[in-house]
Amino acid sequence: MNQHDAATCARSDLEAWRENVWQGRLDRNPFFSRLLRRHLGARYAECESQLRRVVDETGPQFNKLVMESNRDENLPLLRRHDADGRPIEEVVFHPAYHAVGQVFWSSGVLAVLTEPGSEVMCGAIAYLLDQHGEAGHACPVACTAGAIKLLQKLGSDDQRRRYLPSLLEINYDRRLHAAQFVTEVQGGSDVGLNTCQAVPEANRPGWYRISGEKWFCSVADAGLFVVSARLEGAPAGTEGLGLFLVPRMINGAPNGFALRRLKYKLGTRSMATGEIEFDGALGEAIGALEDGFRNLVGIVLDTSRVHNALAACGSMRRALVEAHSFAQIRLAFDRRIIEFSLVQEILARMRLRTMAGLATTFRLLAMTDRAGTVEANDELAAARRIGVMINKYWTAVASTLTIREGIEILGGNGTIEDFSVLPRLYRDAIVVESWEGTHNTLCAQVLRDFANRGLHSAWLRQLGGEIKDLTHSELGHHVTRVRDLHREVSNRIELLVATDPQTAAAHIRHVVDCMCRLTDVVVFLTQAQWDLEHGERREVIDALELYRLLELERANPQDNPELTKLNGRLASKL
Ligand SMILES: Cc1cc2nc3c(=O)[nH]c(=O)nc-3n(C[C@H](O)[C@H](O)[C@H](O)COP(=O)(O)OP(=O)(O)OC[C@H]3O[C@@H](n4cnc5c(N)ncnc54)[C@H](O)[C@@H]3O)c2cc1C
């Protein structure tokens, strides 16, 4: 081929790649389908048609809209006053942003939460939507889901009647969407330093006037704010914090708040994050005020942390799809780059993390469904609570690594904002790492839960039970290994809780890493057993083997030639 032909060929390859990269998404993700079949059982068939509809509506056209709404010139703008100078505190979005929102809301991602036991389904829809890396709506969906849970669990009959129907609304134009404002300028990790004040409203029991500044206010356009504030005279620290529902507008005017500015952000840019000053905003208490912090962590942040993990999984999957399909069409040195072992190694690692993150996240969603329906008990709730925190951390880290590797596969083209979604995903991934609790904050909370409430026992027992259920004869040696790993992690945790607080604080993140690896292996094994029982592919066994070599043994291909073969097999599929 002469040089001119090579250039023409490369250009049409790239064009064809962009046209086709996004076709047949559900069918090309058999691991996801099997995971869902395992968790949904008999309900899978009825849910599949809804998922297919989501896929059909989020094809290449949708992708273009998301790209459009994220362009620099189309980002949200603040309009504080109307033509007559009255405060309106409005955020103005590009039409493409709203067009994307129509699809998000009509997917039913929030509406399914009307029925108890729908977390897996909600997560499945969110995961498909999140593959577009559209944090601009994924974040409002997560915040709204948190408000829904708060009301479902703690709302009075009157509060539920007033808010739930519009929070669960499927129609974008009629929806009520929520935000959660906790962080103040003095710190997001140390929430106990919150200074926003709540003063009881005279003659209106349960209602308060809220004043003070919130420093990071995502979904600044929301119709309903969940706000943490300290009741006058309440104790210092997290103990004195209450939770309040603050409607954006009262009688057609902003409810005692001013949007000082929108943040100029690295990622999640199509969504408006503002700095807000409250000055006597009218809000009503939700749940007992003295339980405000407990409800914030246990319900609101807990929900967003699972959605955060879904967003991380969606982004990883997207990065994998982009990189894998690109590697199949891109030529270098007369070969498709997917033929190079080093490319296969990267793709295999990306796939491994993508599979592990998805399986651990859906394990938690299934636990939530069980806890909310057939099996509500403290043990399951405790195991799940720890699982949610460590999974938020682990999937967020995995996501950044995976997207970065996707960019590596695309080479220089991978760094170009309008060539693929990967640069945007990478910027968003950094935000996904820090909001809803930074890595260290999550680890510190896990340590507190171990030291003060002994929750590690429930977490270990839950995984121990799942290991006991692994009875398939073909998994024998893997099960022996995972039992050893469980014992090792258990010993590490025992050592941690027995040591002095300062040493424990220095060690906790390393222990959490071990806990995450153990969880990954258990979910792989559980899925592998289901696959074997249902005559399905053996790819999860390959994934397990690769995970052992890479993550547990830090193996080197010179000593372990099977590594290269496993890479090749895992990299060959999506
Ligand atoms: C784009 C974006 C949108 C956001 N939207 C919202 C929102 O809508 N609502 C909201 O309430 N918040 C929001 N946040 C804030 C976010 O939740 C905080 O940034 C986060 O909680 C961390 O707080 P901080 O930034 O103040 O960091 P800091 O608390 O100042 O922490 C700085 C560093 O110190 C580390 N650190 C802190 N404590 C410890 C410890 N005990 N041990 C070890 N290390 C520690 C942290 O891990 C971190 O690395 C948003 C953030 C971003 C980036």
Side-chain angles (χ1 to χ4, degrees), residues 80-130:
R80 296 205 52 209
H81 296 94
D82 69 8
D84 303 314
R86 288 187 204 93
I88 49 172
E89 307 301 342
E90 203 174 273
V91 183
V92 183
F93 293 92
H94 188 266
Y97 178 83
H98 291 306
V100 172
Q102 306 270 0
V103 175
F104 261 70
W105 256 259
S106 69
S107 70
V109 64
L110 290 165
V112 292
L113 295 174
T114 310
E115 294 296 321
S118 304
E119 295 291 330
V120 168
M121 189 54 188
C122 169
I125 300 173
Y127 170 65
L128 290 173
L129 295 169
D130 289 345

Side-chain angles (χ1 to χ4, degrees), residues 30-168:
F31 180 70
F32 176 50
S33 304
R34 297 202 306 279
L35 205 62
L36 280 187
R37 273 161 59 203
R38 174 160 69 82
H39 287 303
L40 288 171
R43 285 183 59 210
Y44 177 76
E46 102 197 45
C47 292
E48 200 197 6
S49 56
Q50 188 171 355
L51 295 178
R52 243 172 228 293
R53 267 203 311 280
V54 177
V55 170
D56 289 345
E57 292 196 2
T58 54
Q61 273 315 104
F62 182 75
N63 203 39
K64 282 186 191 143
L65 284 172
V66 178
M67 293 286 248
E68 195 61 21
S69 70
N70 277 278
R71 290 181 71 89
D72 291 348
E73 61 274 26
N74 296 340
L75 298 183
L77 297 171
L78 183 56
R79 189 182 293 157
R80 296 205 52 209
H81 296 94
D82 69 8
D84 303 314
R86 288 187 204 93
I88 49 172
E89 307 301 342
E90 203 174 273
V91 183
V92 183
F93 293 92
H94 188 266
Y97 178 83
H98 291 306
V100 172
Q102 306 270 0
V103 175
F104 261 70
W105 256 259
S106 69
S107 70
V109 64
L110 290 165
V112 292
L113 295 174
T114 310
E115 294 296 321
S118 304
E119 295 291 330
V120 168
M121 189 54 188
C122 169
I125 300 173
Y127 170 65
L128 290 173
L129 295 169
D130 289 345
Q131 288 178 30
H132 288 275
E134 177 37 330
H137 287 290
C139 172
V141 161
C143 294
T144 307
I148 290 170
K149 300 275 182 63
L150 199 58
L151 280 152
Q152 284 175 334
K153 289 193 176 157
L154 303 176
S156 64
D157 289 347
D158 180 47
Q159 285 173 329
R160 289 191 215 186
R161 185 184 46 72
R162 272 185 288 129
Y163 292 121
L164 272 179
S166 24
L167 288 169
L168 290 160

Side-chain angles (χ1 to χ4, degrees), residues 182-184 186-187 190-196 214 228-230 241:
V182 179
T183 307
E184 298 181 8
Q186 62 276 18
D190 194 354
V191 176
L193 291 180
N194 266 198
T195 60
C196 260
K214 291 290 176 186
S228 61
R230 192 178 305 283
L241 291 179

